[in-house]
Amino acid sequence: KDVSGNHGGKQDGWLVNLAADGERISSATETSSVSDLKNYPNPFSPYQSGSTNISFSLSSSENVSLKIYDVEGRLVTTLADETMSAGNHQLQWNAEDENAGIYFLKMETVNESETIRLSVIQ
């Protein structure tokens, strides 16, 4: 599927790397300007804990896109698509309109992308 909407219906290719903890999936470049992309709590319940806090750091100011996808690659929501300054950033996702399951947060900058897994429970 064309999950980014940038390829005129052609399929996107994803290279997936799982860390030893099974949580982090990444395809970042060696000259990374993004660090510490994570969320807490994970798993989370929009009905119990309310939301998950998404945090990351940027080493320089740049355009950042943060999007949530379901396991079938459908865009669920766009959390941000804007220029952000260097430093620490924090956003929240409450997922109150979503079903329990696995979701993916994809962060993209001009030179890299990183994806982490989010678990929504009831």
Side-chain angles (χ1 to χ4, degrees):
K1 293 184 176 182
D2 178 18
V3 297
S4 66
N6 294 326
H7 304 102
K10 295 180 182 174
Q11 293 186 350
D12 288 332
W14 291 37
L15 176 62
V16 177
N17 295 314
L18 292 176
D21 63 6
E23 292 297 319
R24 184 167 298 280
I25 305 167
S26 65
S27 59
T29 62
E30 289 181 22
T31 57
S32 179
S33 63
V34 177
S35 64
D36 298 325
L37 177 62
K38 58 189 167 193
N39 74 301
Y40 181 83
N42 193 26
F44 73 101
S45 169
Y47 308 106
Q48 294 174 8
S49 61
S51 62
T52 189
N53 296 304
I54 298 161
S55 61
F56 59 94
S57 296
L58 296 174
S59 63
S60 62
S61 177
E62 61 185 301
N63 191 30
V64 176
S65 170
L66 290 157
K67 296 181 180 183
I68 306 281
Y69 295 91
D70 66 15
V71 293
E72 294 184 8
R74 292 182 297 238
L75 178 65
V76 172
T77 190
T78 299
L79 298 176
D81 191 5
E82 62 192 75
T83 300
M84 295 185 177
S85 60
N88 298 324
H89 297 271
Q90 188 169 42
L91 299 151
Q92 290 185 329
W93 182 47
N94 64 20
E96 65 186 17
D97 295 330
E98 305 306 326
N99 295 320
I102 302 296
Y103 293 84
F104 297 95
L105 169 65
K106 185 172 186 180
M107 177 182 203
E108 290 183 293
T109 63
V110 172
N111 295 316
E112 62 191 287
S113 70
E114 186 169 346
T115 304
I116 59 173
R117 183 176 67 185
L118 311 175
S119 299
V120 177
I121 57 175
Q122 292 298 326

